[in-house]
Amino acid sequence: MRTTGIFEAKQNFSALIDAVEAGEEVRITRHGKEVVRMLPVRRAPVIARSQVERELQAIRELHARIKPGPGWRELRDEGRA
């Protein structure tokens, strides 16, 4: 993680962007207080495809176990008339 003041950031902006592209976090401060945090963009998905498939399978299994109770059609159609 790199911390720099606003004036220095303006003078070295391209170098800071290069550092962020390389995976480094850059924080820019004004009078010692953090005002900007630059982070690299995630290029890989946050959730793996296998995890998505597991979650979808769990949802399918849940749907298979849940059966609507009596009177569900009346509840569904109540606002349609």
Side-chain angles (χ1 to χ4, degrees):
M1 178 183 72
R2 185 186 301 190
T3 302
T4 184
I6 288 177
F7 178 78
E8 296 162 2
K10 288 193 299 186
Q11 301 300 315
N12 302 310
F13 191 68
S14 294
L16 294 176
I17 295 296
D18 291 341
V20 171
E21 282 184 326
E24 189 175 347
E25 179 178 325
V26 175
R27 296 178 184 208
I28 301 174
T29 61
R30 175 185 284 153
H31 305 296
K33 294 184 180 178
E34 182 181 322
V35 292
V36 175
R37 185 178 301 159
M38 295 174 19
L39 302 170
V41 174
R42 291 185 179 185
R43 302 205 188 283
V46 177
I47 299 174
R49 181 175 291 269
S50 59
Q51 184 178 356
V52 171
E53 287 301 322
R54 283 193 307 269
E55 297 294 331
L56 288 174
Q57 184 60 34
I59 291 171
R60 287 185 204 106
E61 291 170 5
L62 182 62
H63 277 265
R65 286 186 288 151
I66 296 174
K67 302 295 181 204
W72 70 272
R73 283 193 169 93
E74 291 80 15
L75 290 172
R76 180 193 66 189
D77 296 337
E78 187 175 289
R80 295 184 179 184

